[in-house]
Amino acid sequence: MEKDNYNIDADPESSPVPDYTINDRKGSVLGEAADLYGSVQAAEQLGYVERGLKSRHIQFIALGGTIGTGLFLGIGSALADYGPLSILLGYSITGVAIFAMMQCLGEMATWLPLPGAIPQLCARYVDPAMGFAVGWNNWYSNALTLCAEISAAATVIGFWNDDINPSAWITIVIVLVFCLNIFAVAIYGEAEFCFAAIKIITICGLLLLALIIMLGGGPTHDRLGFRYWKHPYTSMVALPYGTNANTGRFLSFFSTLVNAAFSYGGVEMVAVAAGEAENPRKNIPKAVRRVFWRILFFYVLGSLAIGVTVPYTNKNLTSDGPGARSSPWVIAIVNAKISALPSIINAVILTSASSSANAFLYTGSRYLFALAQNGQAPRFFLKCSKTGVPYWCVAVTASISFLTYMSATAGSSTVFTWFQTLTTISSLFTWISVCVAYIKFKEALEAQNVDRNSLVFKSKFQPYTAYFALFFFSVIVLFNGWEVFTKGGWDTQDFVTAYVGIPIYFGFYLFWKVFKRTKAVKPAEADLWTGKAAVDAEVWEDREPRNLMERIWFWIA
């Protein structure tokens, strides 16, 4: 089912102008903008984002774009607190829910690939107030995660030289990521392609190294096996709550879910980039399907590898020293008496933190752009450069990174922990909003007689997949601060940190609900079409592999 006609009036009150023909790349961009803004004049005045992200950019962003300090550093504290089996189960089960959510988002983003995507989808299918809430929630979340990754990068550099004030390194990283984002989206795409390639190669190498160390192939020839899962160690630390050890072990497992959620944060980035991707109807579904392999190889096998090579009792896991000394990967290598590799891994973690900072500046700016398209942010945020960059969105989002200078005095580890907890809850609300939007999207398709079998990408087992992910993330939001409610466990700061995200999200929602008197969108009236005709009209070259090497490369990227 398609729009019957695609006519763009120069002025809504004037007589219609002839149909706008999309016959080149510039024309297609103008057509998309005109369809959304209502007139060619508005599109020409404001400009629009360019579809400058190639297939290889999108695929590598999906595979490794937001793999940052959570997997390299943050997982170490979870191992120390909860044990190896807890983190394996926590990362695996959270991964299942993440994949379910991404199936929902992939179907919606493929149907209508818009820049920023999520706020617009929520506003169209659920309620404009939800679009406002999730948009601003996502923006501040990405801005604070940008700070967290810059803070982590400054900490990692201290591995080589901790005499220089971290402010110097913070400044360098801020300037770097700003330059990668302000000139053209293709530059951002190339940077992320290179960063992601480094991370993917490194993690694959670390997984192989962990297997070698586990089987006794390291310099010490000490065959570890599952030694650190057995007495005198334990596979699951029993937290001192409840009437028996089993209750303590369950609480230990549940606590890893919040840590896992931080590590998965930003996984929805591939949908955010859909509005700037070449051939989105082909590349976005392919990227969404790759999320499964990213979860399996990087997070599930990564948590297993860490659990078998590092004892949870190792004091370095919770140390506050400079650099990546607390990284379980580095600890495993040091324990195996392998020289030189720690510095190499430290360099990769630095690259990873810088890459994630780059990615979160990009996504934060696009969420702000999406809000402006919804009329929920000042209109000047729609202004784009000749290369298709919403430069006001980039500049304002980048300005939040100056908060990172607090880590120069407060201690980067403390600031990183504060940012991590605050942004984890906001990420969970983003994923909850995606699931709610999908449920309403599916109802809208049925109400408007759109056959889901005709969709380019159709997610499986719906709507049960969406309901499962919605329930899972809601439980984590409600109980992530359970420890403060135990006898003698009350801590005001911990309570505020665990639950401040809830009033922030609903505060945004209620503000727009009351201020604009918005109503829930009825499925029969949901806007499934605005902006779709221009995307449908674009024709993309479908390259065929000419030899075996190209066939392999096309499969990868």
Side-chain angles (χ1 to χ4, degrees), residues 366-486:
R366 274 26 177 209
Y367 282 131
L368 200 53
F369 184 73
L371 284 165
Q373 285 189 314
N374 283 346
Q376 296 169 334
R379 189 172 174 81
F380 72 85
F381 284 124
L382 291 173
K383 188 68 177 174
C384 294
S385 66
K386 292 182 179 179
T387 55
V389 175
Y391 50 84
W392 282 113
C393 296
V394 174
V396 171
T397 306
S399 68
I400 305 300
S401 65
F402 295 137
L403 290 174
T404 317
Y405 287 108
M406 291 192 306
S407 66
T409 54
S412 53
S413 177
T414 303
V415 174
F416 178 79
T417 302
W418 182 76
F419 284 147
Q420 173 180 337
T421 306
L422 190 59
T423 56
T424 295
I425 302 305
S426 61
S427 293
L428 288 165
F429 270 113
T430 298
W431 301 335
I432 288 171
S433 300
V434 167
C435 296
V436 173
Y438 179 80
I439 292 168
K440 302 301 291 184
F441 169 73
K442 185 174 183 295
E443 291 178 0
L445 292 177
E446 293 172 354
Q448 299 182 34
N449 298 316
V450 179
D451 184 2
R452 285 187 67 234
N453 292 319
S454 67
L455 303 186
V456 176
F457 176 68
K458 176 187 174 183
S459 53
K460 298 181 182 300
F461 310 117
Q462 296 291 4
Y464 309 107
T465 302
Y467 280 115
F468 161 71
L470 174 62
F471 174 77
F472 182 86
F473 296 135
S474 298
V475 168
I476 298 178
V477 168
L478 291 175
F479 297 104
N480 83 94
W482 62 268
E483 196 168 347
V484 300
F485 299 111
T486 57

Side-chain angles (χ1 to χ4, degrees), residues 159-176:
F159 182 87
W160 295 291
N161 188 331
D162 59 353
D163 295 328
I164 299 176
N165 191 298
S167 298
W169 310 124
I170 291 171
T171 302
I172 292 172
V173 177
I174 289 175
V175 172
L176 172 64

Side-chain angles (χ1 to χ4, degrees), residues 169-287:
W169 310 124
I170 291 171
T171 302
I172 292 172
V173 177
I174 289 175
V175 172
L176 172 64
V177 298
F178 180 77
C179 290
L180 290 175
N181 276 271
I182 198 63
F183 295 113
V185 71
I187 295 175
Y188 160 79
E190 290 296 345
E192 280 305 294
F193 173 77
C194 295
F195 285 146
I198 293 171
K199 288 186 281 188
I200 291 169
I201 292 171
T202 301
I203 292 176
C204 290
L206 288 173
L207 291 176
L208 179 60
L209 179 63
L211 178 62
I212 293 172
I213 293 174
M214 176 187 177
L215 297 177
T220 60
H221 300 295
D222 183 12
R223 186 182 179 92
L224 297 177
F226 281 84
R227 175 186 306 171
Y228 300 135
W229 293 46
K230 303 174 183 177
H231 185 78
Y233 305 99
T234 183
S235 59
M236 298 181 78
V237 176
L239 297 180
Y241 301 100
T243 57
N244 55 62
N246 288 334
T247 302
R249 293 188 187 97
F250 171 78
L251 294 173
S252 174
F253 151 71
F254 185 84
S255 298
T256 63
L257 301 180
V258 177
N259 182 279
F262 175 77
S263 295
Y264 283 116
V267 69
E268 71 279 0
M269 183 182 299
V270 66
V272 176
E276 294 170 87
E278 291 184 353
N279 199 359
R281 297 277 161 73
K282 178 180 179 182
N283 291 328
I284 298 304
K286 183 178 178 181

Side-chain angles (χ1 to χ4, degrees), residues 22-248:
I22 300 175
N23 52 20
D24 55 26
R25 187 59 51 225
K26 181 178 179 180
S28 73
V29 171
L30 187 61
E32 284 189 57
D35 201 8
L36 291 169
Y37 300 156
S39 71
V40 174
Q41 284 89 335
E44 290 177 335
Q45 178 185 3
L46 295 170
Y48 197 62
V49 294
E50 297 275 355
R51 290 197 176 276
L53 294 176
K54 301 180 184 300
S55 175
R56 59 187 173 87
H57 298 154
I58 294 296
Q59 303 313 318
F60 273 63
I61 287 172
L63 284 171
T66 54
I67 294 176
T69 50
L71 184 59
F72 286 112
L73 291 174
I75 196 173
S77 61
L79 173 63
D81 293 337
Y82 312 121
L85 181 57
S86 292
I87 63 169
L88 176 61
L89 292 175
Y91 274 74
S92 300
I93 296 174
T94 303
V96 172
I98 290 290
F99 183 69
M101 181 275 300
M102 284 300 297
Q103 289 287 300
C104 301
L105 184 56
E107 183 174 322
M108 292 189 291
T110 304
W111 169 266
L112 192 60
L114 297 171
I118 297 173
Q120 300 193 61
L121 299 175
C122 291
R124 288 181 182 223
Y125 308 143
V126 185
D127 190 322
M130 176 176 274
F132 180 85
V134 74
W136 284 106
N137 182 76
N138 279 348
W139 178 77
Y140 92 76
S141 171
N142 280 266
L144 291 183
T145 309
L146 166 65
C147 297
E149 296 295 348
I150 293 173
S151 173
T155 302
V156 169
I157 294 174
F159 182 87
W160 295 291
N161 188 331
D162 59 353
D163 295 328
I164 299 176
N165 191 298
S167 298
W169 310 124
I170 291 171
T171 302
I172 292 172
V173 177
I174 289 175
V175 172
L176 172 64
V177 298
F178 180 77
C179 290
L180 290 175
N181 276 271
I182 198 63
F183 295 113
V185 71
I187 295 175
Y188 160 79
E190 290 296 345
E192 280 305 294
F193 173 77
C194 295
F195 285 146
I198 293 171
K199 288 186 281 188
I200 291 169
I201 292 171
T202 301
I203 292 176
C204 290
L206 288 173
L207 291 176
L208 179 60
L209 179 63
L211 178 62
I212 293 172
I213 293 174
M214 176 187 177
L215 297 177
T220 60
H221 300 295
D222 183 12
R223 186 182 179 92
L224 297 177
F226 281 84
R227 175 186 306 171
Y228 300 135
W229 293 46
K230 303 174 183 177
H231 185 78
Y233 305 99
T234 183
S235 59
M236 298 181 78
V237 176
L239 297 180
Y241 301 100
T243 57
N244 55 62
N246 288 334
T247 302

Side-chain angles (χ1 to χ4, degrees), residues 480-535:
N480 83 94
W482 62 268
E483 196 168 347
V484 300
F485 299 111
T486 57
K487 185 176 181 179
W490 177 260
D491 184 287
T492 303
Q493 182 176 349
D494 289 345
F495 173 80
V496 171
T497 303
Y499 292 106
V500 69
I502 296 177
I504 289 176
Y505 181 87
F506 285 105
F508 282 137
Y509 183 91
L510 291 175
F511 167 76
W512 199 255
K513 190 78 173 174
V514 174
F515 180 65
K516 288 293 186 179
R517 299 182 183 275
T518 64
K519 296 181 179 180
V521 178
K522 297 178 180 179
E525 299 173 0
D527 184 5
L528 294 170
W529 305 104
T530 301
K532 185 175 185 296
V535 178

